[in-house]
Amino acid sequence: MVKETKDIVLSEEYIFGEGHKKYNVTTQRTVDEGKTTVKVMRALLYNGPATGITIHNSNAYLSKLCEDGLLSGLVPDGKTAFGFLEELCHKGFSEKYPNVTEDVHARLAHELEVINKKGMVGGFLIIYDLIEFARSNNLMISPGCGALPGSLVAYCLGITGVDPIKENLLFERYLNMGRETPSYCIRIDVEKGAKPLIFGYLTEMYGSGMPKLLKMADISIKEWVELSIIKDTLEIISRSKRERIDIVRIDKTDPAVFELLLSGETNGILFFDKDDPHSYSTWWHLDDNGKWHEYHEPLVAGNAALYEVIRPKNMDELMAAITLDRPLSEEHIEKYLRNIKNSQYITYECPELETILSTTYGCVIYQEQIMRILQDLGGFSPEKSDLCRRDLSKRKQFTIGEMREEFVYGATSSKIVGMDVANAIFDMLWDKARYSFNKSHVAAFSLMIYEMAWLKLYYRSEFMEAAEKYRGIKSDILP
C-alpha cells in the first residue's frame, strides 16, 4: 500500500468584494492492488503565501479529484463515473416517465452531455449519494431550491422533487454551455439536526475535509425548521393513527387546502406564519461608501391583500401570488390581478404566446417564460435565450440592440408575427425582465407550503403538536 499526500491551494472569488478566498486542501491518495482511492483530509481557509497549485475553478478541481479516485467507493468497478450517472438517470427516468415523447428523452441526453462537458459529473454523483444517505436514514429533504429544479437529471436522480416537464422548467436557467460555471450553486435543504449526520457520512465516505470542499464548490446544506415540522407530523400520525402517509403523493389539487391558506389559520405553515417565522432571508445593502452590509428579514408573506384578490385555487395561482409578493412596480402586479378576475382583458399577439402565458393569464412573471418566448418566437437557442434573459434583466442596452434585431428577424422570417408586433413583444420583454422571478425556485417553495397546509387541514392536532415543538427555533439563515 502506497500513500501520497498533496497540498493544493484553491482560489475562489468572493461574491461581494474584489479579493479571493484561498483554501489549503490536503488529499490522501491510497493505491491498493492497483485501485486508487482519494480522500479529502482537510480543506481550510488559508491566508499564507501561495503554495502548490492554484486553481481558479472549483468545479474543475472537484472534477479532477473525482477522476483521480474520490468516487472509488461510489462508482462500481468497471464503470466510469459518467456511465454510472447515465445508468442512475435512465433508471429514474423510466420510473418517472413510463410514456413520454422522444423530445423528453432527448432533453435528458442533452443535460447529461452538458453536465459531462462542464466537468460536473462527480459533483452530481456526490450530491446523489448524500441525498440517498439522507433518505435511507429517514431524514427529510426539501423538493429543491434555486434554479436546480429545472434540471431533469436532478429530478431523475431524486435530488429534486419538482417535475420540470410538467412545470415547464428549463435546464438552461441552471446550467448551459453559453455561460461560465465557476461553481455548482446548489443548496440542499434538510430538517433540523440532519447536517451533522450528513457531514459524518461525507467524512466517512470521502474524508474529513469533504464538507468544506463542497462549500468551496458552492454546494451547501441548510437546515429548515419547516422540514422538521413536516417529518414530525408524519411520525405523530403514524404513531397515533397507525397511518403511513407518503407526503410526495398527496393530491396537489385539493381546493380546501388553498382555502386554508386564506383563512388566517396558518400558524406553523411556511411563509404564511407571521407570528413565529422560522426562516429568514439574507439581503445585502450597498452604503454610500461602497461597502456591503448584510441584513436578514423573515421569510413571510408581505402583502395580505394580494392573496385576498388572487384567492389561489391551484398551484399555478399559488406560485404566482408568491412570485408577485415582492417589491415590484404596481403596474406589473395590477395586470395579473385584473386579468385573473376579468378574462376579457387577456390578449395574445399570437398562439405561441398563449401556450407560454396561459397559466399566468397573459402576464410575464417568470424568467423561464422570457426564455421560452425568445426561443419559440425569436428562434433563439436555449443557451442564448438565457444570456438574453440575463441581459434584459440587467438592462444592458449595449447588447440588447443586437438581440432585438435577431429576435425580430426570427419572429418575422418564420411568419409568426409581423415586424411591428415582434418589436412590441420585445419591448414587453425589456419591461418585464427586471421583475421576473425564477419559477424553478418558487415551484419547489410552493410545494413545501402546500404539503404543510395539507397536513394542517387533515391532521390539525398532529400538525400543531409538531409546530409547537419548534416554536421560536430558527432555520439556518438563507443566502
Side-chain angles (χ1 to χ4, degrees):
M1 181 180 291
V2 179
K3 292 185 178 181
E4 177 187 0
T5 301
K6 290 184 178 179
D7 286 345
I8 301 175
V9 176
L10 171 69
S11 296
E12 181 186 64
E13 289 188 3
Y14 284 115
I15 297 175
F16 299 102
E18 298 177 353
H20 288 80
K21 291 179 181 177
K22 289 183 180 179
Y23 288 84
N24 185 280
V25 182
T26 304
T27 61
Q28 184 180 83
R29 183 187 308 269
T30 304
V31 181
D32 186 11
E33 297 182 356
K35 182 176 182 178
T36 301
T37 300
V38 170
K39 289 201 171 185
V40 182
M41 307 310 295
R42 186 180 64 187
L44 301 174
L45 279 172
Y46 177 72
N47 296 318
T51 60
I53 305 170
T54 299
I55 303 173
H56 292 277
N57 188 316
S58 57
N59 284 4
Y61 178 56
L62 182 56
S63 176
K64 186 175 188 308
L65 286 182
C66 291
E67 291 171 3
D68 290 347
L70 186 64
L71 302 178
S72 62
L74 176 61
V75 177
D77 291 341
K79 295 184 179 180
T80 64
F82 182 65
F84 185 47
L85 181 66
E86 279 188 308
E87 179 183 309
L88 291 171
C89 285
H90 289 149
K91 180 176 183 294
F93 186 92
S94 63
E95 293 170 355
K96 295 177 185 296
Y97 302 104
N99 299 295
V100 290
T101 55
E102 184 56 37
D103 61 324
V104 183
H105 287 274
R107 171 167 169 170
L108 179 65
H110 170 71
E111 289 193 20
L112 284 166
E113 181 184 11
V114 172
I115 289 169
N116 190 29
K117 287 182 177 179
K118 287 282 189 178
M120 299 171 71
V121 169
F124 268 84
L125 284 174
I126 291 168
I127 296 168
Y128 158 80
D129 188 33
L130 73 85
I131 293 288
E132 284 293 294
F133 166 80
R135 292 214 168 98
S136 66
N137 285 272
N138 196 32
L139 300 177
M140 185 64 68
I141 307 290
S142 83
C145 74
L148 186 63
S151 168
L152 182 58
V153 164
Y155 183 58
C156 290
L157 291 173
I159 294 173
T160 58
V162 178
D163 184 342
I165 305 302
K166 177 178 177 293
E167 297 297 339
N168 292 310
L169 307 179
L170 302 179
F171 173 66
E172 286 75 17
R173 177 59 187 83
Y174 170 63
L175 187 69
N176 67 73
M177 295 304 298
R179 189 176 71 215
E180 288 189 15
T181 312
S183 65
Y184 280 80
C185 194
I186 290 176
R187 193 184 82 211
I188 308 296
D189 296 330
V190 299
E191 65 179 88
K192 290 291 285 186
K195 194 188 296 186
L197 299 174
I198 293 173
F199 282 180
Y201 173 74
L202 290 171
T203 295
E204 178 183 353
M205 187 74 175
Y206 304 101
S208 57
M210 194 61 193
K212 279 286 182 66
L213 185 66
L214 291 184
K215 182 179 179 182
M216 188 171 70
D218 199 10
I219 301 172
S220 61
I221 299 174
K222 300 289 185 181
E223 293 186 344
W224 280 61
V225 168
E226 290 84 356
L227 289 167
S228 296
I229 294 174
I230 293 174
K231 178 184 175 180
D232 284 15
T233 302
L234 295 174
E235 290 181 344
I236 294 168
I237 294 168
S238 178
R239 288 196 308 267
S240 63
K241 296 184 178 296
R242 305 292 181 184
E243 296 179 29
R244 297 191 65 83
I245 297 169
D246 185 350
I247 196 67
V248 174
R249 298 185 183 278
I250 62 173
D251 178 16
K252 308 298 193 306
T253 63
D254 189 340
V257 175
F258 297 103
E259 285 296 323
L260 175 69
L261 292 174
L262 295 167
S263 69
E265 296 293 323
T266 53
N267 286 352
I269 298 176
L270 171 64
F271 196 63
F272 285 86
D273 186 348
K274 295 185 178 181
D275 296 329
D276 185 31
H278 299 289
S279 297
Y280 286 72
S281 292
T282 298
W283 299 91
W284 295 83
H285 171 69
L286 187 65
D287 67 19
D288 295 337
N289 297 318
K291 293 185 178 180
W292 289 97
H293 299 276
E294 180 180 354
Y295 69 96
H296 312 293
E297 65 178 26
L299 194 62
V300 296
N303 187 351
L306 182 69
Y307 298 87
E308 281 296 329
V309 175
I310 294 177
R311 300 197 67 82
K313 302 177 294 297
N314 52 53
M315 290 299 290
D316 284 327
E317 292 176 2
L318 176 61
M319 286 190 286
I322 293 169
T323 298
L324 294 172
D325 189 8
R326 296 179 294 128
L328 302 171
S329 75
E330 192 170 312
E331 179 187 358
H332 186 72
I333 298 172
E334 285 301 321
K335 181 178 179 181
Y336 182 91
L337 299 182
R338 181 195 66 188
N339 288 6
I340 194 174
K341 300 300 182 184
N342 304 278
S343 60
Q344 69 270 24
Y345 291 118
I346 303 173
T347 58
Y348 302 102
E349 286 82 354
C350 59
E352 288 79 6
L353 277 184
E354 182 173 6
T355 301
I356 299 168
L357 303 179
S358 60
T359 59
T360 53
Y361 304 100
C363 300
V364 174
I365 64 174
Y366 299 122
Q367 295 166 354
E368 289 85 346
Q369 290 175 315
I370 291 173
M371 292 171 64
R372 187 73 76 184
I373 291 170
L374 292 166
Q375 293 173 43
D376 293 0
L377 276 71
F380 282 39
S381 68
E383 294 80 9
K384 190 158 191 176
S385 73
D386 178 59
L387 296 177
C388 184
R389 183 272 314 165
R390 186 176 59 178
D391 285 353
L392 283 165
S393 65
K394 292 182 177 179
R395 316 291 281 174
K396 290 188 175 181
Q397 298 197 34
F398 61 95
T399 62
I400 292 305
E402 182 180 328
M403 291 185 175
R404 174 192 288 274
E405 290 181 8
E406 184 174 342
F407 177 81
V408 171
Y409 175 79
T412 55
S413 62
S414 59
K415 301 188 186 309
I416 294 176
V417 293
M419 184 175 292
D420 289 344
V421 174
N423 271 298
I425 292 173
F426 198 86
D427 286 338
M428 179 266 292
L429 297 181
W430 169 262
D431 181 54
K432 300 300 182 185
R434 55 181 162 169
Y435 302 122
S436 62
F437 196 67
N438 181 357
K439 187 182 180 184
S440 298
H441 180 72
V442 77
F445 188 73
S446 300
L447 187 55
M448 277 183 63
I449 292 172
Y450 185 94
E451 289 172 353
M452 298 186 83
W454 187 91
L455 287 171
K456 183 165 187 178
L457 176 66
Y458 292 108
Y459 298 93
R460 181 182 178 84
S461 63
E462 291 83 0
F463 178 85
M464 292 311 300
E465 180 181 341
E468 190 61 32
K469 175 181 175 182
Y470 293 96
R471 180 163 294 281
I473 299 176
K474 304 302 180 188
S475 302
D476 288 348
I477 296 296
L478 307 177

